[in-house]
Amino acid sequence: MTSPYFTEEHDMLRSQVRRFVDEVIRPNGEAWEETGQIPRTVLRRMGELGFLGIRHPVEYGGSGADALSSAILAEELAHSSFGGFTVTVLVHTDMASPHLAGSGTEEQKRRYLPAIVSGEILTAVAVTEPDAGSDVASMRTTARRDGEHWVLNGSKMFITNGVSADVVFVAAKTDPSAKGSRGISMFIVERGTAGFSVGRKLKKQGWRASDTAELVFEDCRIPAASLLGDEDRGFYAVMRNFQNERLVLSGMAVGEATEALRLTIDYVKNRKAFGATLWHKQTIRQRLAMLEAKVEAARQLFYHAAWRMSRAADAVRDVSMLKAFAGELVNEVMYTCQQFHGGFGYIQESAIERMVRDARVLSIGGGATEVMLEEVAKRS
Ligand SMILES: Cc1cc2nc3c(=O)[nH]c(=O)nc-3n(C[C@H](O)[C@H](O)[C@H](O)COP(=O)(O)OP(=O)(O)OC[C@H]3O[C@@H](n4cnc5c(N)ncnc54)[C@H](O)[C@@H]3O)c2cc1C
């Protein structure tokens, strides 16, 4: 037993994901960073291994497992050190497709979920807009009912998997006169639908194996049956799913920070300066030991938040604290780990150089630190 939170099944899942990371991601991650793409064969292999449907219902091919299982997937994928790969998968499994599993009709679920679980199709979730990020309710994309169709107009920004996704879950205003969070609905939009296009593929500081896009909707007509969940209640679906999104993003932070410390401790134990290894300098080993302590604290909060979610308890305060703490901590860890790698840490051959770039967004995306702290303060 690795922790009081986990069962034997959880431990088994952890070792399966760990094996996949060692055998498939570590040897190929650098090549995917170069090409900016993850081969579909890899996603289908993950589907065969059951990693893409961990939370989804058994009747659609999933495992029907709990939030602790999502936590394990996030943490173990993050140990690979390849944030671009990890986020591609986690957007599909834990940020986009839960919208369908949580709010979809029987017909919608039958149509898409088995292919989502097998890795045949890749999903994205499009909420953010050029003028509406943290302030989700201020979105401007509209969906107007026209007979047996909805007509979407507007644009979405920074959408992970936006270029390669086959199906995108899109938030739009269905009642533009409604104030604040009301009047927003979710829709299922398939790639290739007339009026739906990728405006730009965005170049990024990190997460280079992950594609990020601006999406454009110009009189994009989709069938009335593409409404996902209740009309005008989409904001609440987005907020509900944010908890899972923030949990796995925090898992990425914890996993990547752990791996960076592992790499750095290994490095300083071998690197010699002034007649001894860097590890012999008390200031170095103590700073690393303190970071280990902080990361362990973040990990236990992460497990605790996942455990509360797995029991359907209100975890907004826990998850908000976790996202704020872990998103900042991973950047503190990366800064120090890069510092102790010396010049090598600035060179692209070193994993730490990429990890520093990848980690930066973890205090911004999916709920910036300041927004998370407001959620905590509201409950203080
Ligand atoms: C690589 C990447 C991938 C992404 N993937 C997706 C995706 O797949 N789908 C999707 O919908 N979105 C995605 N996003 C969007 C992401 O969630 C937003 O960037 C994030 O929510 C912040 O919104 P914003 O960029 O508009 O910043 P803004 O809302 O303009 O905020 C800017 C900064 O102001 C501060 N701030 C904001 N609000 C407050 C406040 N209330 N109090 C104090 N300070 C505040 C924070 O420091 C924040 O970082 C992605 C972003 C990136 C960079």
Side-chain angles (χ1 to χ4, degrees):
M1 195 169 76
T2 54
S3 156
Y5 293 113
F6 298 116
T7 62
E8 239 175 71
E9 283 78 33
H10 288 129
D11 289 348
M12 214 182 318
L13 173 66
R14 189 182 289 284
S15 57
Q16 283 166 350
V17 180
R18 197 168 283 185
R19 191 169 336 118
F20 180 77
V21 163
D22 288 340
E23 290 175 3
V24 181
I25 309 180
R26 288 184 198 273
N28 296 300
E30 206 60 70
W32 302 335
E33 285 281 302
E34 285 288 321
T35 58
Q37 258 186 339
I38 313 248
R40 281 300 178 94
T41 46
V42 176
L43 296 173
R44 283 198 287 270
R45 180 73 190 127
M46 292 189 82
E48 282 164 14
L49 291 166
F51 298 157
L52 303 183
I54 287 176
R55 299 286 288 286
H56 295 323
V58 176
E59 58 266 40
Y60 305 106
S63 308
D66 58 8
L68 284 158
S69 306
S70 285
I72 289 169
L73 180 72
E75 189 184 9
E76 290 303 325
L77 291 181
H79 285 163
S80 71
S81 87
F82 290 99
F85 174 82
T86 305
V87 77
T88 301
V89 173
L90 294 177
V91 163
H92 177 69
T93 55
D94 283 86
M95 303 187 213
S97 64
H99 280 282
L100 178 71
S103 311
T105 62
E106 184 58 36
E107 198 186 329
Q108 288 170 337
K109 288 193 275 197
R110 252 190 288 119
R111 177 160 181 183
Y112 299 109
L113 262 185
I116 285 171
V117 169
S118 69
E120 287 304 311
I121 62 175
L122 184 68
T123 57
V125 58
V127 176
T128 306
E129 299 187 357
D131 294 316
S134 307
D135 184 8
V136 172
S138 69
M139 71 175 59
R140 292 200 207 142
T141 297
T142 56
R144 177 177 51 82
R145 185 70 189 250
D146 181 19
E148 282 311 295
H149 290 88
W150 288 97
V151 184
L152 270 61
N153 277 290
S155 64
K156 293 288 173 182
M157 198 53 153
F158 310 138
I159 306 309
T160 301
N161 298 346
V163 177
S164 49
D166 306 287
V167 174
V168 185
F169 305 111
V170 183
K173 278 251 172 190
T174 30
D175 181 0
S177 65
K179 292 246 160 21
S181 55
R182 279 166 291 177
I184 291 171
S185 306
M186 294 296 294
F187 295 91
I188 305 172
V189 183
E190 294 185 9
R191 183 163 50 170
T193 306
F196 168 39
S197 60
V198 173
R200 287 185 291 158
K201 178 174 177 177
L202 302 164
K203 289 187 178 169
K204 304 188 292 298
Q205 177 179 6
W207 281 3
R208 294 198 179 155
S210 152
D211 75 65
T212 310
E214 179 181 8
L215 305 181
V216 180
F217 301 90
E218 288 169 312
D219 288 330
C220 171
R221 294 179 79 82
I222 54 172
S226 302
L227 174 71
L228 180 60
D230 295 334
E231 188 175 333
D232 294 339
R233 304 281 303 166
F235 179 82
Y236 308 103
V238 170
M239 290 300 132
R240 214 171 30 248
N241 203 55
F242 264 157
Q243 301 316 309
N244 207 48
E245 190 164 319
R246 289 167 182 166
L247 179 79
V248 295
L249 285 167
S250 304
M252 283 184 73
V254 168
E256 288 174 14
T258 304
E259 179 65 9
L261 284 170
R262 190 189 70 75
L263 287 170
T264 305
I265 290 167
D266 195 44
Y267 184 81
V268 299
K269 280 186 172 173
N270 287 296
R271 176 77 180 170
K272 288 209 178 89
F274 302 100
T277 66
L278 292 173
W279 182 250
H280 277 87
K281 322 278 176 234
Q282 192 180 44
T283 184
I284 287 192
R285 61 173 189 262
Q286 288 205 353
R287 269 177 68 189
L288 290 170
M290 180 54 96
L291 287 174
E292 283 193 285
K294 288 185 183 178
V295 171
E296 196 53 45
R299 190 187 336 275
Q300 295 308 320
L301 180 57
F302 169 52
Y303 292 165
H304 182 70
W307 175 79
R308 282 184 66 83
M309 285 174 65
S310 72
R311 270 147 186 76
D314 179 355
V316 177
R317 185 167 177 270
D318 308 74
V319 169
S320 305
M321 277 182 176
L322 170 69
K323 175 72 174 54
F325 184 57
E328 294 295 317
L329 177 62
V330 69
N331 282 289
E332 182 189 345
V333 168
M334 291 306 166
Y335 180 90
T336 304
C337 287
Q338 187 175 38
Q339 181 73 13
F340 292 166
H341 271 74
F344 184 53
Y346 196 66
I347 303 299
Q348 291 195 352
E349 274 168 48
S350 71
I352 205 73
E353 186 275 337
R354 166 173 38 77
M355 295 176 80
V356 170
R357 288 188 283 105
D358 284 351
R360 187 63 192 87
V361 72
L362 289 171
S363 64
I364 300 171
T369 300
E370 295 78 4
V371 176
M372 295 296 87
L373 293 177
E374 286 302 298
E375 292 300 321
V376 176
K378 267 187 228 166
R379 293 164 178 80
S380 296

